[in-house]
Amino acid sequence: MPDREALREALFIAQIATGYAFPNALLQHAIEDLDRLSIDVGALERRRDRVVGALRDMGYATTNPEGTFYVMAEAPVADDMAYGELLADHGVLVLPGTVVEAPGWFRISLTASDAMVDRGLPGFESARLAAVDRATG
Protein backbone atom coordinates (compact mmCIF):
# COMPACT_ATOMS: atom_id res chain seq x y z
CA MET A 1 0.00 0.00 0.00
CA PRO A 2 2.04 2.98 -1.22
CA ASP A 3 0.06 5.65 0.69
CA ARG A 4 -0.14 3.80 3.99
CA GLU A 5 1.57 6.55 5.99
CA ALA A 6 -0.96 9.14 4.77
CA LEU A 7 -3.82 6.74 5.55
CA ARG A 8 -2.37 5.97 8.99
CA GLU A 9 -2.17 9.71 9.75
CA ALA A 10 -5.75 10.32 8.56
CA LEU A 11 -7.05 7.44 10.67
CA PHE A 12 -5.14 8.66 13.71
CA ILE A 13 -6.64 12.16 13.36
CA ALA A 14 -10.12 10.67 12.88
CA GLN A 15 -9.70 8.57 16.03
CA ILE A 16 -8.65 11.59 18.06
CA ALA A 17 -11.46 13.78 16.66
CA THR A 18 -14.13 11.16 17.40
CA GLY A 19 -12.82 10.06 20.78
CA TYR A 20 -12.17 6.65 19.22
CA ALA A 21 -15.91 6.53 18.38
CA PHE A 22 -16.95 4.08 21.05
CA PRO A 23 -18.01 4.50 24.68
CA ASN A 24 -15.83 3.03 27.37
CA ALA A 25 -17.35 0.91 30.17
CA LEU A 26 -17.55 3.87 32.55
CA LEU A 27 -19.57 5.86 30.02
CA GLN A 28 -21.88 2.91 29.44
CA HIS A 29 -22.68 2.90 33.17
CA ALA A 30 -23.24 6.68 33.16
CA ILE A 31 -25.64 6.75 30.17
CA GLU A 32 -28.73 6.55 32.38
CA ASP A 33 -27.59 9.64 34.35
CA LEU A 34 -26.42 11.50 31.24
CA ASP A 35 -29.72 10.91 29.47
CA ARG A 36 -31.49 13.10 32.04
CA LEU A 37 -29.17 16.05 31.44
CA SER A 38 -30.17 18.87 29.15
CA ILE A 39 -28.11 21.36 27.17
CA ASP A 40 -28.92 25.02 27.71
CA VAL A 41 -29.31 25.93 24.04
CA GLY A 42 -30.13 29.55 24.88
CA ALA A 43 -26.83 29.95 26.73
CA LEU A 44 -24.95 28.45 23.78
CA GLU A 45 -26.72 30.82 21.37
CA ARG A 46 -25.85 33.84 23.51
CA ARG A 47 -22.24 32.70 23.79
CA ARG A 48 -22.09 32.08 20.02
CA ASP A 49 -23.47 35.55 19.30
CA ARG A 50 -20.99 37.13 21.69
CA VAL A 51 -17.98 35.26 20.26
CA VAL A 52 -18.97 35.79 16.63
CA GLY A 53 -19.75 39.47 17.14
CA ALA A 54 -16.54 40.16 19.05
CA LEU A 55 -14.35 38.30 16.56
CA ARG A 56 -15.96 40.01 13.58
CA ASP A 57 -15.46 43.39 15.27
CA MET A 58 -11.78 42.49 15.59
CA GLY A 59 -11.58 41.72 11.86
CA TYR A 60 -11.87 37.93 11.84
CA ALA A 61 -14.04 36.14 9.28
CA THR A 62 -16.21 33.60 11.11
CA THR A 63 -18.99 31.12 10.57
CA ASN A 64 -22.28 31.65 12.38
CA PRO A 65 -23.25 28.11 13.34
CA GLU A 66 -26.84 27.09 13.95
CA GLY A 67 -26.40 23.49 15.04
CA THR A 68 -22.90 22.98 16.41
CA PHE A 69 -21.04 23.69 19.62
CA TYR A 70 -18.18 25.53 17.92
CA VAL A 71 -17.40 28.55 15.74
CA MET A 72 -14.90 28.44 12.88
CA ALA A 73 -12.76 31.54 12.36
CA GLU A 74 -10.29 32.27 9.61
CA ALA A 75 -6.71 32.69 10.77
CA PRO A 76 -5.17 36.02 9.71
CA VAL A 77 -2.12 34.06 8.45
CA ALA A 78 -2.00 31.06 6.14
CA ASP A 79 -0.53 28.65 8.71
CA ASP A 80 -3.39 27.86 11.10
CA MET A 81 -1.19 25.52 13.14
CA ALA A 82 1.31 28.32 13.82
CA TYR A 83 -1.55 30.71 14.53
CA GLY A 84 -3.00 28.23 17.03
CA GLU A 85 0.36 28.28 18.82
CA LEU A 86 0.36 32.09 18.78
CA LEU A 87 -3.14 32.12 20.26
CA ALA A 88 -1.95 29.72 22.98
CA ASP A 89 0.86 32.17 23.76
CA HIS A 90 -1.90 34.75 24.30
CA GLY A 91 -3.91 32.49 26.63
CA VAL A 92 -6.40 31.10 24.07
CA LEU A 93 -6.73 27.42 23.16
CA VAL A 94 -8.30 26.51 19.81
CA LEU A 95 -8.27 23.55 17.44
CA PRO A 96 -6.35 24.40 14.26
CA GLY A 97 -8.48 23.78 11.18
CA THR A 98 -5.87 21.56 9.54
CA VAL A 99 -6.75 18.88 12.11
CA VAL A 100 -10.38 18.84 10.87
CA GLU A 101 -9.65 19.31 7.14
CA ALA A 102 -10.20 23.10 7.23
CA PRO A 103 -6.72 24.56 6.71
CA GLY A 104 -6.42 28.29 7.28
CA TRP A 105 -9.20 28.25 9.88
CA PHE A 106 -9.44 27.37 13.57
CA ARG A 107 -12.24 26.04 15.74
CA ILE A 108 -13.47 27.67 18.96
CA SER A 109 -15.52 25.66 21.44
CA LEU A 110 -18.78 27.23 22.60
CA THR A 111 -18.94 24.86 25.56
CA ALA A 112 -16.45 27.03 27.44
CA SER A 113 -17.98 29.04 30.25
CA ASP A 114 -18.89 32.71 29.88
CA ALA A 115 -16.00 33.55 32.21
CA MET A 116 -13.62 31.67 29.92
CA VAL A 117 -14.92 33.64 26.94
CA ASP A 118 -14.41 36.90 28.89
CA ARG A 119 -10.80 35.92 29.60
CA GLY A 120 -10.17 34.70 26.04
CA LEU A 121 -11.49 37.50 23.85
CA PRO A 122 -8.62 39.92 24.58
CA GLY A 123 -6.20 37.14 23.59
CA PHE A 124 -7.82 36.84 20.17
CA GLU A 125 -7.24 40.55 19.60
CA SER A 126 -3.65 40.61 20.88
CA ALA A 127 -2.73 37.48 18.85
CA ARG A 128 -4.27 38.97 15.70
CA LEU A 129 -2.33 42.21 16.18
CA ALA A 130 0.89 40.28 16.78
CA ALA A 131 0.33 38.25 13.60
CA VAL A 132 -0.31 41.40 11.57
CA ASP A 133 2.81 43.05 13.03
CA ARG A 134 4.92 39.98 12.10
CA ALA A 135 3.48 39.92 8.58
CA THR A 136 4.16 43.61 7.94
CA GLY A 137 7.53 43.35 9.66
Side-chain angles (χ1 to χ4, degrees):
M1 183 174 195
D3 295 327
R4 71 175 170 240
E5 287 303 316
L7 178 60
R8 181 179 291 135
E9 184 177 326
L11 288 171
F12 177 69
I13 289 170
Q15 287 175 322
I16 291 171
T18 63
Y20 291 92
F22 59 87
N24 60 31
L26 182 59
L27 181 59
Q28 291 172 352
H29 291 287
I31 290 292
E32 186 174 302
D33 295 331
L34 294 174
D35 191 45
R36 289 189 278 269
L37 298 176
S38 177
I39 296 169
D40 187 345
V41 175
L44 286 172
E45 288 173 338
R46 287 187 298 278
R47 195 169 301 126
R48 174 206 57 201
D49 294 344
R50 177 139 188 267
V51 168
V52 167
L55 292 178
R56 287 181 178 173
D57 287 347
M58 292 175 202
Y60 287 96
T62 71
T63 60
N64 192 25
E66 293 185 21
T68 63
F69 298 126
Y70 58 87
V71 171
M72 296 294 292
E74 189 171 16
V77 297
D79 186 347
D80 58 278
M81 298 291 282
Y83 194 66
E85 290 176 17
L86 180 62
L87 281 166
D89 291 343
H90 289 261
V92 178
L93 299 178
V94 298
L95 180 67
T98 296
V99 175
V100 290
E101 301 296 324
W105 291 74
F106 57 90
R107 193 162 120 172
I108 306 158
S109 174
L110 294 174
T111 59
S113 68
D114 290 331
M116 293 167 79
V117 170
D118 291 340
R119 287 191 310 268
L121 287 175
F124 283 106
E125 178 68 0
S126 60
R128 187 188 66 77
L129 293 172
V132 169
D133 285 345
R134 287 181 189 176
T136 59

